[in-house]
Amino acid sequence: MVRRWTDIYNKGGPFKKRCKAAGIPSFPTFTEPEAMIVKEGGARVMSLADGSSKMSKSDPNDASRINVLDPPDVIRSKIKKCKTDAFKGLEWGNKERPEATNLLTIFQAVQPGRTKEDILKEVGEMSWGEFKPVLTDAIIAHLEPIQNRYHEIRNDEEYLMSVLREGSDSANEIASKTLKAARVSMGFVNRD
């Protein structure tokens, strides 16, 4: 959509003249968004119920995912029940073992800075019964500060409302400038 808009409305001399008359810069109205997905260490976390399908909050099976606000006992239960295989040991990248790759990827994602080699050295020879509690503890430790901060903010209604007000004011200011630029780029009369 951004590219199409730019091609139609943000090119040529008339566009630059309209921008100059309106007193706004003549750069494209909209900025094309860039993906912020981290490719290494957890960009594609798969379902706990099926290691070959993506983890999704829209999956009707709540046990297929770890929610950010899941309490430790719920996380423990979900990891304990998650799908595994009958092979001994853990390994990354074996197409016959998507669950092993998935759980190792989750383990790496909740421990930033650790390499696959380092993780395999620690847990590669473990059975599922040994690895799942280690994974559970790592997930709980990773989510705990996030959950604590969430509850801290939710319990301070005054602070929460002030942040929402500031965000709303800031968004309105940016949106007004963008809307003005969109009107100018399309050739509408400036209402200011």
Side-chain angles (χ1 to χ4, degrees), residues 91-97 100-101 116:
E91 62 182 324
W92 248 295
N94 183 341
K95 292 189 187 294
E96 293 179 22
R97 303 188 67 195
T101 298
K116 288 181 178 183

Side-chain angles (χ1 to χ4, degrees), residues 61-81:
N61 179 6
D62 190 56
S64 70
R65 65 186 168 274
I66 303 291
N67 299 304
V68 174
L69 296 176
D70 279 347
D73 58 322
V74 172
I75 294 171
R76 244 182 239 357
S77 174
K78 287 179 178 182
I79 295 296
K80 194 179 284 186
K81 294 176 185 174

Side-chain angles (χ1 to χ4, degrees), residues 8-177:
I8 293 172
Y9 299 112
N10 294 147
K11 292 196 173 172
F15 166 67
K16 291 182 180 179
K17 286 179 186 171
R18 288 191 302 269
C19 289
K20 187 173 184 178
I24 62 171
S26 62
F27 52 80
T29 307
F30 302 106
T31 304
E32 189 168 350
E34 292 181 30
M36 296 178 65
I37 297 172
V38 179
K39 294 293 180 196
E40 219 22 69
R44 223 160 131 82
V45 176
M46 308 308 273
S47 169
L48 297 176
D50 175 11
S52 61
S53 64
K54 194 165 184 337
M55 188 180 284
S56 170
K57 65 182 179 196
S58 62
D59 189 325
N61 179 6
D62 190 56
S64 70
R65 65 186 168 274
I66 303 291
N67 299 304
V68 174
L69 296 176
D70 279 347
D73 58 322
V74 172
I75 294 171
R76 244 182 239 357
S77 174
K78 287 179 178 182
I79 295 296
K80 194 179 284 186
K81 294 176 185 174
C82 74
K83 185 178 177 190
T84 55
D85 55 42
F87 296 102
K88 183 84 172 127
L90 304 172
E91 62 182 324
W92 248 295
N94 183 341
K95 292 189 187 294
E96 293 179 22
R97 303 188 67 195
E99 288 78 17
T101 298
N102 184 41
L103 295 181
L104 285 168
T105 300
I106 293 170
F107 190 62
Q108 183 182 27
V110 298
Q111 299 183 71
R114 292 199 60 191
T115 65
K116 288 181 178 183
E117 294 76 22
D118 175 39
I119 289 171
L120 281 179
K121 220 179 275 182
E122 179 188 346
V123 301
E125 298 301 316
M126 287 184 179
S127 67
W128 288 115
E130 296 167 324
F131 176 64
K132 284 183 175 183
V134 173
L135 173 61
T136 302
D137 291 342
I139 293 170
I140 291 168
H142 183 75
L143 292 178
E144 185 178 31
I146 298 166
Q147 293 173 346
N148 289 343
R149 183 68 178 134
Y150 170 83
H151 293 299
E152 186 180 308
I153 290 169
R154 290 295 297 171
N155 290 332
D156 188 349
E157 190 74 23
E158 188 178 316
Y159 171 73
L160 179 60
M161 295 314 287
S162 73
V163 169
L164 291 173
R165 254 189 314 281
E166 286 175 26
S168 173
D169 293 345
S170 176
N172 283 333
E173 183 180 327
I174 293 167
S176 294
K177 289 178 184 175

